[in-house]
């Protein structure tokens, strides 16, 4: 309330002068567009968002390495909403796409393949994936440097990387619960039983999306996983009785990657 | 500044209100208009970037007026954090300071910081002993409750007084022999520890308050935990327990836990370096004190100190002012 009063004093004292200043210096337009951008993406931490937003804008004025800047600004836009907030995520993806295509001449549609691949690599590493885990996926979704990536392909690539990062995190949690203690590796038989359940869940029959989601979540429900683990026979693999976290992660990643269509 | 509700289901106005964005934009523009020439040269976009970065990092409250510091929970949290960062060396030194001295320290960071806030803090802490001086950690945790939850503390005080004066019929059971003392105690707003009100009724009333409360309040879980541990409770013992509650402190997240409050290895190294310098050239320490703040601190502390200790204090306050400067940039 005090701030309103203070602002009120500033406004009423030299209202016209300040208004003119705000127009001339472009402050009104700047704030209007910034507020609009903020409301478009509704970040969790709006103050941090505005800090970065203005920093990006002022860096643009300096004009250093425009291409690198575009990629980092695109990545920043993509990080604002989780992909489960699908419409916000799609809108941010569009913004990122526009940022990366802005400097291309008329008549050319799409992002340069090189930028697209670089951005996906950054997206994976920001999602906490190691280079070796991300590499097989990137081989499937990346483009040649000289190719042009249209929006729909761009959106799919981005979404695939985002979902893959979540999937790997989830599979790491799954391994954590299969290994009874954090300092001991999981038994191979149990790990394989869980991976098998995971594979079955991913292999849903053709049908509408809702039906497939339900089928998959029924197959990977805690009850099903517990049943599979109870039925596993630990005595079968004498020579290599344990499975470490990396091996489990790789196997889980392979199940996912096998379902990603190769970009041609 | 995290949001609890699903931000995508809010209306635009609700989203903006919840996040105080308009308050900060308003303040940024007001500041800009007050210093037009300076900031236009600096670059308006860069000015906004700097402004919001400092809000994000929490050093935007430094040297600002009290009404600004108080205006949002984030500002309050930032101010408590900055106060701790600047003056924790005092706590480390083990000095007990008088309330007027804490008031002066606060006014170094916020020139119009009201002494009333410090007096209210004193009431929370000084309940057990009659001394005027306080350790840094006792002060800062109580100050945090008083400052961060000011509106909550005020409302609870009203509830407490109502219960004491018997507005809720089943609350106060007054033993006849002490009834006169109790009445006078209630009138002075300083009830004795032994007296107080029934905890469970007090707790119910506070819960009722929180349901419709617009300002920040400590988590209900913590309040219940505190009030369930005894049958009767006095207002200030309740606030004191709240001030010492680790969960409440973590929720505010301006200060570390008590065990880490005074740990500051970087500053210790710096101090050791300075002490070593002084040992080599004894005159060098006079030249390094220039800022008004550190003069005041050392002046206030000096009558009770030996010459050796005085030197140490001067250097320590020197160090903390340096840190203040760096966080401002």
């Amino acid at each position: 309330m005090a701030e309103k009063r203070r602002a009120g004093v500033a406004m009423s004292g030299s209202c016209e002068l300040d208004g003119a200043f705000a127009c001339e210096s472009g402050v009104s337009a700047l704030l209007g567009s910034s507020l609009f951008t903020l409301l478009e993406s509704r970040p969790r931490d709006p103050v941090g968002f505005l800090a970065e937003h203005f920093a990006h804008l002022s860096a643009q004025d300096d004009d250093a390495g425009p291409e690198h800047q575009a990629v980092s600004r695109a990545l920043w836009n993509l990080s604002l909403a989780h992909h489960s907030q699908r419409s916000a995520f799609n809108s941010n993806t569009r913004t990122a796409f526009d940022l990366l295509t802005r400097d291309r001449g008329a008549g050319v549609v799409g992002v340069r393949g090189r930028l697209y691949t670089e951005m996906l690599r950054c997206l994976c590493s920001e999602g906490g994936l190691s280079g070796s885990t991300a590499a097989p996926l990137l081989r499937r979704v990346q483009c040649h440097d000289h190719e042009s990536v249209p929006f729909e392909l761009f959106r799919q690539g981005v979404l695939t990387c985002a979902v893959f990062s979540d999937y790997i995190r989830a599979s790491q949690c799954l391994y954590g619960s299969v290994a009874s203690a954090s300092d001991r590796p999981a038994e191979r038989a149990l790990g394989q039983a869980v991976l098998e359940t995971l594979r079955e869940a991913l292999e849903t029959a053709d049908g509408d999306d809702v039906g497939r989601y339900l089928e998959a979540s029924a197959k990977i429900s805690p009850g099903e996983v517990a049943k599979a683990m109870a039925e596993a026979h630990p005595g079968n693999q004498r020579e290599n009785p344990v499975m470490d976290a990396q091996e489990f992660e790789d196997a889980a990643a392979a199940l996912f990657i096998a379902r990603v269509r190769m970009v041609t | 500044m995290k949001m609890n509700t699903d931000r995508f289901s809010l209306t635009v106005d609700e989203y903006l209100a919840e996040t105080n964005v308009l308050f900060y934009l308003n303040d940024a523009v007001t500041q800009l208009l007050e210093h037009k020439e300076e900031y236009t040269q600096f670059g308006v976009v860069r000015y906004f970037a700097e402004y919001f970065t400092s809000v994000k990092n929490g050093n935007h409250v430094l040297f600002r007026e009290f009404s600004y510091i108080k205006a949002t929970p984030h500002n309050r949290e930032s101010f408590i954090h900055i106060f701790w960062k600047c003056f924790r060396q005092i706590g480390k030194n083990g000095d007990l300071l008088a309330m007027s001295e804490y008031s002066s320290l606060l006014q170094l960071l916020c020139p119009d910081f009201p002494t009333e806030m410090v007096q209210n803090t004193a009431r929370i802490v000084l309940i057990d002993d009659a001394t005027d001086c306080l350790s840094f950690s006792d002060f800062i945790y109580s100050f945090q409750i008083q400052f961060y939850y000011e509106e909550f503390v005020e409302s609870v005080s009203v509830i407490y007084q109502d219960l004491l004066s018997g507005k809720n019929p089943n609350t106060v059971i007054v033993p006849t022999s002490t009834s006169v003392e109790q009445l006078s105690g209630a009138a002075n707003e300083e009830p004795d520890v032994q007296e107080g009100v029934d905890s469970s009724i007090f707790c119910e009333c506070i819960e009722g308050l929180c349901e419709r409360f617009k300002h920040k309040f400590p988590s209900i879980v913590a309040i219940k935990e505190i009030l369930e541990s005894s049958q009767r409770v006095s207002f200030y013992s309740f606030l004191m327990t709240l001030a010492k509650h680790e969960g409440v402190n973590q929720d505010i997240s301006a200060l570390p836990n008590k065990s880490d409050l005074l740990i500051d290895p970087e500053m210790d190294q710096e101090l050791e370096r300075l002490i070593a310098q002084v040992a080599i050239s004894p005159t060098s320490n006079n030249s390094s004190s220039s800022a008004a703040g550190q003069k005041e601190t050392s002046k206030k502390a000096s009558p009770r100190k030996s010459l050796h200790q005085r030197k140490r204090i001067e250097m320590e306050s020197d160090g903390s002012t340096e840190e203040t400067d760096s966080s401002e940039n």
Side-chain angles (χ1 to χ4, degrees):
Chain A
M1 313 331 105
E3 71 275 10
K4 272 190 192 146
R5 208 178 50 226
R6 218 155 35 74
V9 171
M11 292 301 172
S12 65
S14 51
C15 184
E16 284 173 25
L17 266 179
D18 288 345
F21 168 77
C23 281
E24 270 171 38
S25 57
V27 172
S28 304
L30 173 73
L31 293 186
S33 71
S34 301
L35 204 54
F36 188 70
T37 318
L38 176 81
L39 290 174
E40 242 180 359
S41 44
R42 289 204 182 197
R44 183 189 296 271
D45 168 20
V47 167
F49 175 94
L50 287 176
E52 295 228 18
H53 174 74
F54 287 120
H56 279 300
L57 285 183
S58 77
Q60 261 170 26
D61 293 347
D62 294 349
D63 205 38
E67 208 165 65
H68 179 74
Q69 253 176 40
V71 171
S72 77
R73 197 163 162 75
L75 281 169
W76 175 65
N77 268 288
L78 291 173
S79 69
L80 292 174
H82 188 256
H83 62 80
S84 59
Q85 306 280 8
R86 195 52 64 88
S87 40
F89 184 80
N90 281 347
S91 151
N92 292 340
T93 311
R94 183 80 223 186
T95 314
F97 182 78
D98 290 344
L99 277 168
L100 294 175
T101 48
R102 203 168 38 185
D103 59 334
R104 304 209 72 177
V108 191
V109 186
V111 177
R112 280 194 186 87
R114 186 171 46 81
L115 280 185
Y116 167 77
T117 307
E118 185 189 333
M119 205 200 61
L120 291 187
R121 194 176 301 117
C122 294
L123 202 59
C124 286
S125 76
E126 276 186 7
L129 299 180
S130 66
S132 60
T133 308
L137 178 77
L138 287 173
R139 268 198 296 280
R140 291 209 168 217
V141 288
Q142 74 194 1
C143 285
H144 291 294
D145 288 356
H146 56 82
E147 283 172 327
S148 227
V149 183
F151 177 69
E152 200 36 49
L153 190 62
F154 178 84
R155 196 186 72 85
Q156 275 182 15
V158 166
L159 191 58
T160 307
C161 287
V163 174
F164 185 63
S165 303
D166 275 3
Y167 172 84
I168 291 297
R169 261 196 298 281
S171 78
Q172 284 162 349
C173 292
L174 194 58
Y175 180 80
S177 35
V178 174
S180 49
S182 56
D183 53 343
R184 231 176 323 141
E187 282 179 41
R188 174 165 300 276
L190 291 183
Q192 277 174 344
V194 170
L195 283 171
E196 185 58 24
T197 318
L198 189 59
R199 191 185 59 75
E200 277 173 24
L202 290 173
E203 272 177 4
T204 47
D206 294 337
D208 61 341
D209 284 348
V210 180
R212 285 174 56 216
Y213 297 155
L214 285 173
E215 191 186 337
S217 46
K219 279 182 179 168
I220 194 75
S221 68
E224 286 296 314
V225 176
K227 207 169 114 204
M229 282 170 74
E231 284 166 1
H233 301 293
N236 286 356
Q237 292 99 1
R238 290 253 175 249
E239 66 245 44
N240 197 0
V242 295
M243 181 184 259
D244 67 11
Q246 190 58 49
E247 188 184 349
F248 187 89
E249 187 183 309
D250 289 346
L255 289 177
F256 184 102
I257 291 167
R259 278 161 187 77
V260 176
R261 230 179 300 148
M262 195 81 170
V263 172
T264 44
Chain B
M1 250 182 285
K2 284 179 201 115
M3 305 198 54
N4 299 323
T5 38
D6 181 3
R7 60 188 190 277
F8 292 103
S9 61
L10 298 173
T11 66
V12 166
D13 289 340
E14 283 169 344
Y15 174 77
L16 289 176
E18 179 120 351
T19 53
N20 288 315
V21 172
L22 291 184
F23 165 75
Y24 289 113
L25 277 172
N26 197 342
D27 181 66
V29 173
T30 311
Q31 299 285 319
L32 177 69
L33 292 177
E34 277 172 19
H35 308 271
K36 267 181 235 172
E37 285 77 22
E38 204 181 317
Y39 289 140
T40 320
Q41 259 186 356
F42 180 69
V44 171
V45 180
R46 241 171 87 200
Y47 159 75
F48 279 110
E50 296 272 323
Y51 180 89
F52 281 97
T53 309
S54 74
V55 174
K56 187 176 138 200
N57 298 337
N59 44 29
H60 60 304
V61 289
L62 208 58
F63 310 127
R64 289 297 302 268
E65 65 280 6
F66 182 67
S67 60
Y68 181 75
I69 285 171
K70 218 182 101 161
T72 69
H74 174 65
N75 286 9
R76 295 185 192 196
E77 177 207 323
S78 307
F79 185 76
I80 296 167
H81 184 78
I82 283 195
F83 180 78
W84 166 72
K85 249 175 88 179
C86 290
F87 298 119
R88 62 182 151 180
Q89 282 297 327
I90 290 171
K92 202 154 192 190
N93 212 19
D95 281 345
L96 300 180
L97 297 192
M99 277 312 183
S100 58
E101 293 175 313
Y102 281 116
S103 208
S104 302
L105 290 182
L106 287 165
Q107 280 163 4
L108 289 179
L109 302 181
C110 168
D112 62 340
F113 202 94
T115 39
E116 197 194 350
M117 185 74 72
V118 184
Q119 281 159 4
N120 288 338
T121 306
R123 292 212 186 97
I124 301 178
V125 192
L126 298 180
I127 186 167
D128 288 323
D129 45 71
T131 50
D132 283 331
C133 293
L134 263 189
S135 76
F136 184 74
S137 73
D138 280 347
F139 173 78
I140 199 163
Y141 286 116
S142 310
F143 172 73
Q144 168 169 258
I145 294 296
Q146 179 63 45
F147 180 56
Y148 192 81
Y149 293 126
E150 190 193 7
E151 295 81 4
F152 172 79
V153 170
E154 269 169 21
S155 304
V156 170
S157 162
V158 171
I159 290 177
Y160 183 78
Q161 291 307 326
D162 281 356
L163 287 178
L164 260 194
S165 59
K167 280 192 186 166
N168 192 335
N170 298 328
T171 48
V172 194
I173 303 146
V174 186
T176 42
S177 59
T178 56
S179 60
V180 179
E181 279 171 37
Q182 185 145 22
L183 274 176
S184 66
N188 290 340
E189 297 185 9
E190 281 168 6
D192 199 71
V193 201
Q194 299 304 318
E195 298 164 356
V197 298
D198 186 287
S199 300
S200 57
I201 295 170
F202 192 37
C203 188
E204 271 173 36
C205 294
I206 296 180
E207 266 187 87
L209 169 78
C210 293
E211 272 170 26
R212 60 197 148 81
F213 207 54
K214 283 190 197 124
H215 300 276
K216 287 267 174 188
F217 53 86
S219 78
I220 301 279
V221 181
I223 293 174
K224 276 190 178 168
E225 196 184 306
I226 291 167
L227 290 176
E228 276 166 6
S229 64
S230 65
Q231 282 210 314
R232 301 187 69 74
V233 67
S234 79
F235 179 58
Y236 287 114
S237 74
F238 169 64
L239 291 187
M240 189 68 208
T241 327
L242 209 55
K244 288 182 175 165
H245 195 282
E246 288 204 345
V248 172
N249 180 44
Q250 278 166 15
D251 285 347
I252 303 174
S253 71
L255 299 173
N257 285 338
K258 196 169 181 182
S259 53
D260 296 333
L261 189 72
L262 305 176
I263 295 176
D264 186 6
E266 278 175 39
M267 183 70 81
D268 287 346
Q269 272 182 358
E270 184 67 18
L271 280 178
E272 270 168 34
R273 199 180 59 77
L274 282 170
I275 290 173
Q277 268 185 12
V278 173
I280 296 165
S281 63
T283 49
S284 69
N285 99 69
N286 290 335
S287 62
S288 66
S289 55
S290 58
Q294 64 204 58
K295 268 188 195 156
E296 195 164 343
T297 323
S298 52
K299 214 191 295 169
K300 282 202 173 198
S302 59
R304 287 182 279 126
K305 300 288 158 195
S306 70
L307 187 65
H308 172 70
Q309 276 172 311
R310 203 148 66 193
K311 274 184 192 166
R312 277 190 58 189
I313 288 169
E314 272 179 24
M315 284 181 297
E316 277 160 15
S317 46
D318 183 33
S320 34
T321 328
E322 265 177 29
E323 189 170 314
T324 314
D325 289 340
S326 67
S327 58
E328 188 189 11
N329 293 328

